[in-house]
Amino acid sequence: MEFTEVAVGEAGCGPYGVAVDPDGDVWCTQVHRGRVGRLGADGDFQDVPVGPADCRPTVIVAGPDEAMWCSLYQGNAIGRVGLDGSVRCFGVPGAHPYGLAVGPDSALWFTAMNTDRIGRITVDGAITEFDLPTPGGFPSMITGGPDGALWFTLNRANAIGRIDLDGGVRTFPLPTPGAAPVGITSTGDSLWFVEIGAGQIGRITPEGDIVEHPLPDREARPHAIIATSDGCCWFTEWAAGRVGRITPSGDVETHPLPHARSEPHGLAAAPDGRLWVALESGSLAWAMLGRGQF
């Protein structure tokens, strides 16, 4: 697999999260500049300020309302960027929101790292927050599950969490101490997650059964993970400058990015068959996987 790099934004902007909008344009957060950028099919890149330079936009997703939504970690807000470039921000005081996902109820759900909560925001900006039973658990990424609930990682509590639409919470401790889970995704029957502290990829069923798969390089520090329609998952290896693929049976292959110190974070799959990766070193990178996998 060969990746092509596309430089975006000004030097030091720090592409971090990446997502694809309904038109196929690629969006990324610029964690060091307080901006969100949009890369069109023609290669034109435009960015939009979503707050002060230090608001640290992190995760970005396509919303259910033809807009892009992002978490502003240091800005303590959830941002909405319309496809026309309009911006609205909704404050979540003290929360340090990070993970963000669209739920089955057409609302957006987010993790509040600093307040040990899971939040829900409607497309109109109404926010509800639910307390977690794990003080200091550091809720990180979140995704919709195959069971109609939201699933999330508890980085410092070394656990996976589940929250239903009414706010009921269950947690599932991980077998490996210090695994420090971050990214999480759903393949339609299970949840897959990365263990940045243990160099492993984990799988948990809706019933809570967990299997862990060690990576060839246990020091790679896997960070983000997404599922594709063939039942496989792709993940970033932040410390090694690589992207990996794991099959449903746990077989792993890894592919180097153009630069070992590119610091890959978020990934996104585009309808044209490209896998996009946000590189905090200053670029987006893509590789063609084929339409049949997405």
Side-chain angles (χ1 to χ4, degrees):
M1 174 186 291
E2 184 175 349
F3 282 90
T4 300
E5 276 194 88
V6 181
V8 294
E10 62 185 41
C13 68
Y16 191 91
V18 62
V20 181
D21 73 18
D23 296 327
D25 290 345
V26 180
W27 293 70
C28 67
T29 55
Q30 300 176 50
V31 71
H32 301 307
R33 292 291 184 272
R35 293 173 175 266
V36 166
R38 179 184 194 173
L39 179 66
D42 59 359
D44 181 49
F45 184 78
Q46 299 179 348
D47 54 20
V48 180
V50 290
D54 62 353
C55 69
R56 296 185 69 81
T58 49
V59 176
I60 186 167
V61 300
D65 58 344
E66 297 188 348
M68 305 302 289
W69 290 73
C70 61
S71 54
L72 307 181
Y73 175 79
Q74 195 66 33
N76 288 307
I78 302 296
R80 178 191 185 275
V81 183
L83 300 187
D84 60 358
S86 60
V87 176
R88 294 182 67 191
C89 291
F90 305 93
V92 193
H96 286 182
Y98 184 72
L100 186 66
V102 178
D105 54 354
S106 294
L108 292 107
W109 291 70
F110 61 91
T111 60
M113 277 187 166
N114 203 45
T115 53
D116 297 313
R117 293 173 177 167
I118 299 297
R120 175 185 183 271
I121 180 170
T122 68
V123 294
D124 298 321
I127 295 174
T128 306
E129 294 182 90
F130 302 95
D131 291 326
L132 298 176
T134 48
F138 223 55
S140 299
M141 293 290 198
I142 188 168
T143 192
D147 56 350
L150 284 299
W151 290 73
F152 55 94
T153 51
L154 287 161
N155 178 262
R156 291 182 182 168
N158 209 51
I160 303 299
R162 177 192 183 275
I163 184 167
D164 62 35
L165 300 186
D166 295 322
V169 176
R170 293 181 66 193
T171 60
F172 304 89
L174 296 181
T176 301
V182 184
I184 188 168
T185 191
S186 172
T187 56
D189 61 357
S190 299
L191 290 304
W192 291 75
F193 55 91
V194 300
E195 299 179 358
I196 196 170
Q200 300 184 139
I201 305 296
R203 175 181 180 268
I204 181 170
T205 67
E207 295 74 34
D209 298 319
I210 297 172
V211 177
E212 297 170 307
H213 302 280
L215 294 176
D217 178 2
R218 301 293 291 275
E219 303 301 320
R221 298 190 68 79
H223 182 266
I225 187 168
I226 62 168
T228 48
S229 62
D230 58 358
C232 297
C233 295
W234 291 82
F235 56 92
T236 50
E237 294 187 333
W238 174 80
R242 292 188 298 252
V243 170
R245 175 179 180 265
I246 186 167
T247 68
S249 59
D251 295 323
V252 175
E253 61 183 39
T254 61
H255 304 273
L257 291 159
H259 304 286
R261 297 183 179 180
S262 55
E263 298 182 80
H265 289 290
L267 307 104
D272 65 358
R274 299 188 200 198
L275 177 72
W276 287 89
V277 189
L279 310 180
E280 194 174 347
S281 59
S283 304
L284 297 177
W286 64 268
M288 186 64 70
L289 301 183
R291 292 177 183 270
Q293 295 191 42
F294 292 158

